[in-house]
Amino acid sequence: MKAYAMLGLNNTGWIDAERPVCGPLDAICKPLALAPCTSDVHTVWEGAIGDRHNLVLGHEGVGEVVEVGSLVKDFKVGDKVLVPAITPDWNSVEAQAGFAQHSGGMLSGWKFSNIKDGVFGEFFHVNDADGNLAHLPDGMDLATASMLSDMVPTGFLAADMADIQFGDKVVVVGIGPVGLMAVAAAAIRGASDLFGVGSRPDCVALAKEFGATDTINYRDGDLVEQVLDRTGGKGVDRVIIAGGDLDTFDQAVRMVKAGGKISNVNYLGGGDYFKIPRVEWGVGMGHKQIIGGLMLGGRLRMEQYSDLWRAGRINPGKLVTHTLNGFDKVEEALFLMKDKPADLIKPVVII
Ligand code: NDP
Ligand code: ZN
C-alpha cells in the first residue's frame, strides 16, 4: 500500500509499505481524514525519540473500518470511527495501575508512528479495537473528528494534570492547537484569570474565544515579569506548558505560587536536562509540583470529548485553519505543520 513515512532523520517520503495484518482483537481502517502533528515534526526533524527507517508517520485522523478481528464485539466493517493517537493495551498491568499510556513500558501506549506504522497509509492497524475506537458521532464533521485524536485529549490532559480548581489563576504557555484546547479545558474546570501565552494573532484571537481572559506575548518581554505584573506580584496557581523549550520549566517555577502545580504536555525534542531555580522552588520546600504526561487515549475518553462537543462545550473544529483534499496532500500538510506559516493553527487532509 502507499504510505507517507519517516525514511530516516530529517527525511520523509512516499513508500510502498506492507498492508497491516488484523489480529483477533484488532481492526484495520482506511483513513477518511488525517492531520499532521507538531509531534511528527519533533520525531522527524529533531530526532526526539531516535532514528526510524521507513516508519509510516501520523497518529491523528478519522477512519472507516475495513476489517475486524474475530473477537471484536462493537465495531464492524463500514463503521466510521474516531481514532485516538494513543492506543493502549487495556488489559496490561500498567493500565490497571492507572497509566495505560505506558502499557508495556514507558510511552508504549503510543504506538502509531512510534513503535508501529502510523495512520498516513492507505490502511492502518488499530490494536484492541473495542477498547480504543469510538463511533463517529452523528453530525460530527471530519475536521472536528480529527481534532479528537490528539488535540482535545492532550489539552484536556494538561488541565486535568494541573488539577485546576474553581477560581484558580492559570497560565497556559503555548497557544498552538494543544494549548488552545488546554485553555478551553481550563475554562471548563473553573479557572478565574486565564492567561494564554503566544504571539500568532490567529492563535491569540482563538485563545480569547476559547476562554482566555488575557493573552501575553512572550516576545514582548520577560514572560515571568509579565505574569507577575498582571497578578500583583503573586504569580498564579497553575501553569500549563504546551509550548516553549527547556527554559520554560524555570519560568514556570518562578511564576507559580507556593503550593502550585505545573503540568507539561510539551514533547521535549532536544537537550538533556531542564533546570529548577533553587530559591523560587522554596529551597526545596515550596510545594511546587511538576508533572508531565502523555494523552490517555481509549474509547471512553473519545466518547466523553464527543459529548462535550455535542453539548456545545467545545468547538475543536475551529483549530482547523487549512483544509486540503486528497491522500496525496498528506505531504503538504506535514510541511505546513513543520514550517508553521503565521496563519496556520492546524491543517487537515480530507481523503
Ligand atoms: P505549536 O508549535 O503549534 O504551538 C506552540 C506554542 O508555543 C505557540 O503558541 C508558540 O507561540 C508558543 N511558544 C513557542 N516558543 C515559546 C516560548 N519560548 N515561550 C512561550 N511560548 C512559546 O505546537 P502544538 O500546539 O501543535 O503542540 C504543542 C506541544 O505538544 C508540542 O511539543 C507537541 O509535540 C506536544 N504534544 C504532546 C502530546 C502529549 O500527549 N503530551 C500530544 C500532542 C502534542 P507562537 O504564537 O509564537 O508560535
Ligand atoms: Zn499529535
Side-chain angles (χ1 to χ4, degrees), residues 75-121:
F75 296 90
K76 60 181 188 322
V77 171
D79 285 352
K80 294 180 175 170
V81 286
L82 301 170
V83 185
I86 305 301
T87 52
D89 298 310
W90 288 100
N91 63 355
S92 63
V93 288
E94 291 87 355
Q96 290 174 31
F99 294 98
Q101 302 96 321
H102 307 296
S103 58
M106 190 156 67
L107 304 181
S108 293
W110 169 19
K111 298 182 189 301
F112 290 132
S113 65
N114 179 22
I115 55 180
K116 74 171 186 188
D117 282 339
V119 298
F120 289 174

Side-chain angles (χ1 to χ4, degrees), residues 3-350:
Y4 196 76
M6 174 170 177
L7 306 178
L9 285 180
N10 304 309
N11 196 5
T12 60
W14 293 100
I15 61 167
D16 190 14
E18 296 268 317
R19 184 186 156 133
V21 176
C22 193
L25 293 166
D26 308 340
I28 304 297
C29 298
K30 67 175 184 183
L32 299 176
L34 294 169
C37 180
T38 305
S39 301
D40 294 308
V41 176
H42 291 307
T43 299
V44 176
W45 286 281
E46 291 176 37
I49 52 172
D51 205 352
R52 299 285 195 280
H53 292 276
N54 296 337
L55 176 76
V56 178
L57 286 167
H59 52 263
E60 299 181 15
V62 188
E64 181 179 320
V65 175
V66 297
E67 195 178 342
V68 284
S70 57
L71 298 177
V72 173
K73 296 193 285 285
D74 296 338
F75 296 90
K76 60 181 188 322
V77 171
D79 285 352
K80 294 180 175 170
V81 286
L82 301 170
V83 185
I86 305 301
T87 52
D89 298 310
W90 288 100
N91 63 355
S92 63
V93 288
E94 291 87 355
Q96 290 174 31
F99 294 98
Q101 302 96 321
H102 307 296
S103 58
M106 190 156 67
L107 304 181
S108 293
W110 169 19
K111 298 182 189 301
F112 290 132
S113 65
N114 179 22
I115 55 180
K116 74 171 186 188
D117 282 339
V119 298
F120 289 174
E122 288 176 298
F123 302 97
F124 60 86
H125 169 269
V126 180
N127 59 292
D128 199 348
D130 283 324
N132 282 315
L133 293 174
H135 291 283
L136 179 69
D138 287 343
M140 185 183 279
D141 61 280
L142 294 178
T144 298
S146 303
M147 297 302 100
L148 262 64
S149 286
D150 195 359
M151 300 298 94
V152 175
T154 303
F156 274 70
L157 170 84
D160 282 345
M161 290 192 305
D163 189 29
I164 294 166
Q165 304 293 316
F166 294 128
D168 277 348
K169 293 185 170 65
V170 179
V171 169
V172 178
V173 183
I175 46 173
V178 170
L180 284 166
M181 290 320 305
V183 166
I188 290 173
R189 286 190 67 120
S192 54
D193 298 297
L194 177 49
F195 304 100
V197 179
S199 73
R200 286 177 279 158
D202 292 351
C203 296
V204 167
L206 198 52
K208 289 188 176 144
E209 196 177 325
F210 280 4
T213 55
D214 197 358
T215 55
I216 298 174
N217 187 339
Y218 64 96
R219 298 175 196 267
D220 282 351
D222 184 76
L223 176 58
V224 178
E225 277 175 25
Q226 293 195 67
V227 170
L228 293 178
D229 280 351
R230 283 165 165 83
T231 53
K234 292 186 173 157
V236 294
D237 303 286
R238 304 288 190 260
V239 176
I240 287 171
I241 302 177
D245 53 27
L246 292 178
D247 291 336
T248 308
F249 290 89
D250 176 293
Q251 295 174 316
V253 171
R254 292 177 197 273
M255 65 174 94
V256 80
K257 292 177 193 168
K261 294 184 180 173
I262 297 164
S263 156
N264 176 75
V265 287
N266 208 13
Y267 173 1
L268 305 174
D272 292 321
Y273 302 97
F274 61 80
K275 291 186 199 156
I276 298 174
R278 182 182 62 88
V279 171
E280 288 78 3
W281 207 46
V283 291
M285 299 176 280
H287 291 259
K288 297 188 180 186
Q289 298 179 37
I290 304 173
I291 184 169
L294 177 67
M295 64 154 272
L296 177 54
R299 178 171 172 183
L300 174 65
R301 284 288 190 281
M302 292 291 106
E303 292 179 352
Q304 290 172 328
Y305 300 135
S306 297
D307 285 343
L308 285 169
W309 165 82
R310 185 184 41 72
R313 300 274 188 215
I314 56 172
N315 193 355
K318 292 218 159 184
L319 299 173
V320 178
T321 50
H322 292 55
T323 304
L324 295 82
N325 288 292
F327 184 54
D328 290 350
K329 293 291 169 69
V330 162
E331 179 169 51
E332 187 179 334
L334 178 67
F335 278 84
L336 277 171
M337 210 58 197
K338 173 176 180 282
D339 300 336
K340 301 237 162 86
D343 63 344
L344 180 112
I345 301 181
K346 192 84 179 177
V348 164
V349 180
I350 305 294

